[in-house]
Amino acid sequence: MAHIVTPWEVKGTIDYDRLVQEFGIIKLTSADLKRIERITGELHPYLTRGIFFAHRDLKWCLDEYEKGNKFFLYTGCGPSGPIHLGHLGVWRFTKWLQDAFGAEVWFQFTDDEKFLFKDLSYEEVQKWTHENMLDVIALGFDPKKTHFLIDTMHAGIMYPEAIKVAKKITFSTIKAAFGFTDSNNIGSIFYTSMQTVPVFLPNVLRHEKKPCLIPLAVDQDPHFRISRDVVEKLGHHKPAILHSVFMPPLVGMEGKMSSSDPDKAVLTTDDPATVKKKINKYAFSGGQATIEEHRRKGGNPDVDIAYQWLRYFEFDDQKLKKIHDDYKSGTLLSGELKAILIGKINEFLAEHQKKRKQAEKIVDKFLN
Ligand code: TYM
């Protein structure tokens, strides 16, 4: 099945090379990675493993950084349900960028978006906004350098800028980009303006002109393809972007993990028994039908979800390689591979859930 990738729908087997063409984004090269490593002294495994695979204007952003014009980071969350491990990939990487480059983070919670696009009440979206903020805080963002923007709460500073953006985007541009029709509600047509504002809001508030770097998964790129032209017309820099692939759902490599189907995702609030049950029951295996056959032929890590997910959680390259090779040769069985993943995720979630509880006390620090 041909892929579909929009901010609201991701389907099929994603052909990332084709996406690069379709979206007009640029693949990260080993020279790009070397340059990042030269500046930061280390590389995050999500870069070396190709999980972050493409960019827009990264070279310019790093040129400015080296000239002393440091970028700020901007990313976000659409609060429509619980957080799953797929979201965490982008945000853990953002936190690494914050530490590695000493950058400020502007984190947008698009409660307006989720109210307008989903069958959820305003109150339900507010509840998810609060819950989702706890997950973001639990990842360890520096409260002194991290600012949350909740679209409805911060409308007073965002709306004057959003209308400036909106005035430069026509309905036909939005229709062409997202396939909207006359039956889409008028709020959804306006929405891209709100997601554009944080690209330059910090500069407006501080009378500065710093570059903005946006880490995201590639489904969010279509908004910024529109924004990049518009913000330039408004006298701001185009944002630079780093694009991640999708963490696949439990059931196989098609589409993306999503919280609308909790059996196909692991949520940050799942307890150890639930994690174990979900992975053992649903994780698509690249192993053979019988143990004998597996020992003889070996498994296929490229389609095995337990292995694919381990790439997000086992940061030790040597350990990961041994697991890969042992699985491929048939030494490691599918059940054993799943057990390694379950251990790794439960270890991560135990810590995350502890920090998530503590986050309740410091939410205000991020909202000023
Ligand atoms: P949302 O809440 O759908 O997703 C939040 C971030 O997680 C990424 N993501 C994934 N990454 C890897 N694998 C997955 N399975 C997966 N599912 C989701 C998304 O690409 C996103 O980066 N409209 C946005 C919120 C937003 C935003 C932004 C995102 C506002 N401003 C700037 C990125 C950058 C949304 O609903 O994201």
Side-chain angles (χ1 to χ4, degrees):
M1 181 171 116
H3 67 216
I4 299 175
V5 178
T6 78
W8 300 287
E9 191 181 26
V10 176
K11 272 200 183 138
T13 306
I14 321 291
D15 178 342
Y16 288 101
D17 285 333
R18 219 185 83 206
L19 261 192
V20 165
Q21 299 288 324
E22 282 171 10
F23 285 13
I25 57 183
I26 300 163
K27 272 195 166 178
L28 285 169
T29 62
S30 53
D32 295 327
L33 301 198
K34 279 204 189 98
R35 186 170 181 199
I36 296 174
E37 189 173 16
R38 195 163 36 75
I39 298 172
T40 62
E42 57 168 0
L43 279 181
H44 195 280
Y46 292 177
L47 284 169
T48 51
R49 294 176 187 174
I51 290 173
F52 274 81
F53 75 106
H55 74 96
R56 291 183 188 271
D57 283 338
L58 180 71
K59 290 186 178 68
W60 163 78
C61 191
L62 295 178
D63 286 347
E64 288 296 302
Y65 181 88
E66 291 191 311
K67 281 188 236 156
N69 190 20
K70 276 188 164 188
F71 58 84
F72 63 89
L73 294 158
Y74 158 40
T75 196
C77 163
S80 62
I83 296 307
H84 56 68
L85 301 181
H87 296 121
L88 292 189
V90 176
W91 304 339
R92 290 171 84 189
F93 182 68
T94 306
K95 146 86 172 119
W96 177 78
L97 289 171
Q98 171 167 72
D99 295 343
F101 287 92
E104 281 208 347
V105 172
W106 290 74
F107 205 112
Q108 181 179 32
F109 292 86
T110 56
D111 56 343
D112 53 346
E113 175 192 10
K114 294 302 158 177
F115 174 70
L116 291 164
F117 284 90
K118 296 262 179 177
D119 187 18
L120 290 172
S121 71
Y122 183 75
E123 289 68 30
E124 281 168 310
V125 176
Q126 297 316 305
K127 181 197 119 190
W128 287 120
T129 304
H130 181 78
E131 291 295 315
N132 295 178
M133 284 193 298
L134 301 180
D135 281 297
V136 174
I137 294 170
L139 295 176
F141 286 98
D142 177 351
K144 289 195 200 78
K145 283 190 173 166
T146 309
H147 313 278
F148 286 177
L149 290 167
I150 302 176
D151 286 357
T152 59
M153 179 190 271
H154 296 98
I157 50 169
M158 296 183 75
Y159 191 67
E161 302 307 322
I163 57 170
K164 292 174 198 166
V165 175
K167 199 170 176 176
K168 300 240 178 277
I169 306 176
T170 63
F171 185 22
S172 67
T173 299
I174 293 292
K175 273 187 186 166
F178 302 126
F180 287 0
T181 65
D182 287 353
S183 51
N184 274 89
N185 72 57
I186 60 172
S188 65
I189 299 161
F190 177 77
Y191 170 69
T192 293
S193 327
M194 288 299 281
Q195 186 154 326
T196 302
V197 170
V199 166
F200 58 83
L201 185 70
N203 287 332
V204 170
L205 297 175
R206 292 172 179 160
H207 309 287
E208 290 176 340
K209 202 165 175 187
K210 292 197 166 153
C212 168
L213 174 62
I214 311 177
L216 43 67
V218 67
D219 58 335
Q220 295 297 318
D221 185 78
H223 285 300
F224 297 109
R225 230 179 309 154
I226 299 175
S227 312
R228 278 167 45 90
D229 291 337
V230 172
V231 300
E232 200 166 44
K233 286 184 198 150
L234 294 173
H236 308 294
H237 289 308
K238 287 183 178 184
I241 301 179
L242 276 170
H243 303 83
S244 149
V245 300
F246 301 111
M247 189 171 175
L250 271 172
V251 291
M253 292 302 284
E254 288 202 356
K256 66 162 185 170
M257 192 191 308
S258 149
S259 32
S260 44
D261 204 342
D263 278 345
K264 296 183 186 163
V266 165
L267 309 178
T268 59
T269 46
D270 283 344
D271 60 35
T274 306
V275 172
K276 185 173 177 191
K277 198 177 86 201
K278 280 185 180 174
I279 292 174
N280 280 333
K281 188 164 171 194
Y282 297 110
F284 182 83
S285 164
Q288 306 296 340
T290 64
I291 295 186
E292 292 69 39
E293 207 185 335
H294 189 87
R295 295 273 187 232
R296 216 166 0 103
K297 296 188 183 157
N300 180 2
D302 296 343
V303 298
D304 189 286
I305 293 298
Y307 177 75
Q308 290 301 319
W309 282 22
L310 258 187
R311 295 173 64 238
Y312 289 78
F313 285 93
E314 177 52 76
F315 282 6
D316 182 327
D317 285 334
Q318 275 177 353
K319 271 193 194 161
L320 188 71
K321 182 169 183 322
K322 182 159 172 26
I323 291 168
H324 176 275
D325 295 350
D326 286 351
Y327 191 59
K328 215 169 166 174
S329 71
T331 314
L332 189 69
L333 299 175
S334 193
E336 293 165 341
L337 175 56
K338 285 186 178 186
I340 297 174
L341 177 72
I342 292 164
K344 210 70 203 169
I345 291 183
N346 278 336
E347 185 190 337
F348 172 83
L349 285 182
E351 191 60 21
H352 183 80
Q353 290 167 3
K354 201 170 81 197
K355 293 194 183 134
R356 204 177 176 282
K357 273 208 190 91
Q358 296 163 355
E360 284 282 4
K361 292 186 220 102
I362 53 169
V363 177
D364 285 350
K365 288 192 184 168
F366 291 84
L367 284 170
N368 289 330

